[in-house]
Amino acid sequence: MNMVAQKAEIFEVGPRDGLQNEPNAITLAEKIALVDLLSSAGFSRIEVASFVSPKWVPQMAESAEVLAGITRNSGTSYAALTPNLQGYEAARNARADEVAIFASASEGFSRANLNASIEDSLRRFADVAKAAQNDGIPLRGYVSCVTDCPFDGPVAAGAVARVVGKLRALGCYEVSLGDTLGRGTPEKMDVMLKAVLDVSDPAALAGHFHDTGGRALQNVDVALACGVRVFDAAVGGLGGCPYAPGAAGNVATESLVRHLRAHGFETGLDVIVLDAAAEMAKAMRGT
């Protein structure tokens, strides 16, 4: 008797979280071409833009032009990162289908990344959350440094749970748990997830695991065992973190699809298209 595969979803973040850290200039046409190819792979959600200051993230300076230039798939939601109300309004005007806010579970990283304490950043996000709710635009949340911080060291699981609870209370339909440094081990991930499950249903969580330590897929397995079924990934393994030196890229989408399939989970993605997109992504970064 054939077992029916369970469903899992990959949220593609390569065009934003991946490309934003690439040091070489990437043209607008290249960014649009990558999103268009990914759109044809069958993703329900693709993060394509970030409305942060170009001074800090120059690679994302053309986010509005990317959203204007892509060929939109009717079955795909195109997401943008929005750090404040100004960024949210720019994303809305550029017709982003959903927006995301990003907090940290550690004070050191929050101050480096957002120039604000965790509490101050959450207060800032309240305006974005209210505007998104009024406009009927879905709001997603990110939590950085869910096991380790480059400034504060190990992060307590309870600290992660507190931030997740507050993001959910702001109206985030889903919160993505970021192993920003890629130092998370399966043991750390299990402790963290169990604490977070006290404040959130697993259906409202996503895993966002960097592969710096080569353990991203092991951490995916731990999250699957905890009931998580959504994972962020970047085609070609693009990305890292500008505030976490040495943190290599996100788990590669094409590797994650195959890993999930081998464990009985189907994503509905076209691996042939993904492999082509991975080659495109690697060419863009010069690897």
Side-chain angles (χ1 to χ4, degrees), residues 3 6-7 46 49 55 57 67 71 82 106 133 135 149 155 168 173 180 192 203 209 218 252 254 256 258-259 274 277:
M3 296 290 289
Q6 297 184 65
K7 289 186 178 178
I46 305 174
K55 174 184 172 184
V57 189
L67 279 161
T71 300
T82 54
S106 73
Q133 184 177 33
D135 293 334
C149 170
V155 176
R168 292 281 288 142
Y173 75 88
T180 310
M192 181 274 295
F209 305 141
Q218 295 174 42
E254 60 277 12
L256 181 55
R258 290 175 168 90
H259 181 81
L274 278 182

Side-chain angles (χ1 to χ4, degrees), residues 134-148:
N134 290 341
D135 293 334
I137 294 178
L139 178 70
R140 193 178 196 239
Y142 284 97
V143 183
S144 302
C145 299
V146 296
T147 63
D148 296 88

Side-chain angles (χ1 to χ4, degrees), residues 49-86:
S50 179
F51 288 90
V52 299
S53 169
K55 174 184 172 184
W56 300 114
V57 189
Q59 200 74 264
M60 292 289 107
E62 298 173 315
S63 284
E65 290 84 351
V66 170
L67 279 161
I70 58 176
T71 300
R72 298 191 182 217
N73 182 334
S74 60
T76 304
S77 175
Y78 297 94
L81 206 64
T82 54
N84 50 38
L85 196 56
Q86 181 182 359

Side-chain angles (χ1 to χ4, degrees), residues 22-235:
E22 294 305 320
N24 300 324
I26 297 168
T27 68
L28 176 61
E30 287 177 307
K31 294 172 186 174
I32 290 170
L34 180 61
V35 175
D36 285 349
L37 185 55
L38 289 166
S39 290
S40 68
F43 289 100
S44 296
R45 297 179 285 173
I46 305 174
E47 193 172 63
V48 303
S50 179
F51 288 90
V52 299
S53 169
K55 174 184 172 184
W56 300 114
V57 189
Q59 200 74 264
M60 292 289 107
E62 298 173 315
S63 284
E65 290 84 351
V66 170
L67 279 161
I70 58 176
T71 300
R72 298 191 182 217
N73 182 334
S74 60
T76 304
S77 175
Y78 297 94
L81 206 64
T82 54
N84 50 38
L85 196 56
Q86 181 182 359
Y88 167 77
E89 289 169 350
R92 180 192 61 199
N93 293 339
R95 294 177 50 234
D97 295 310
E98 63 178 88
V99 296
I101 52 179
F102 48 104
S104 171
S106 73
E107 289 292 346
F109 193 82
S110 184
R111 293 181 186 281
N113 196 29
L114 295 167
N115 197 28
S117 68
I118 294 171
E119 286 304 318
D120 285 345
S121 72
L122 290 165
R123 277 193 285 273
R124 191 185 296 169
F125 293 141
D127 292 336
V128 177
K130 184 177 180 181
Q133 184 177 33
N134 290 341
D135 293 334
I137 294 178
L139 178 70
R140 193 178 196 239
Y142 284 97
V143 183
S144 302
C145 299
V146 296
T147 63
D148 296 88
C149 170
F151 308 102
D152 301 344
V155 176
V160 182
R162 280 193 295 276
V163 176
V164 171
K166 291 185 177 186
L167 288 172
R168 292 281 288 142
L170 282 174
C172 292
Y173 75 88
E174 182 175 272
V175 177
S176 176
L177 303 166
D179 178 19
T180 310
L181 299 188
R183 290 185 193 163
T185 62
E187 295 77 18
K188 289 179 181 177
M189 208 60 68
D190 187 59
V191 170
M192 181 274 295
L193 283 165
K194 283 175 176 160
V196 170
L197 289 172
D198 286 339
V199 300
S200 176
D201 187 277
L205 299 172
H208 183 113
F209 305 141
H210 286 203
D211 206 28
T212 319
R215 290 183 295 263
L217 295 177
Q218 295 174 42
N219 292 334
V220 165
D221 293 341
V222 172
L224 286 168
C226 290
V228 176
R229 295 292 181 268
V230 178
F231 298 93
D232 298 352
V235 67

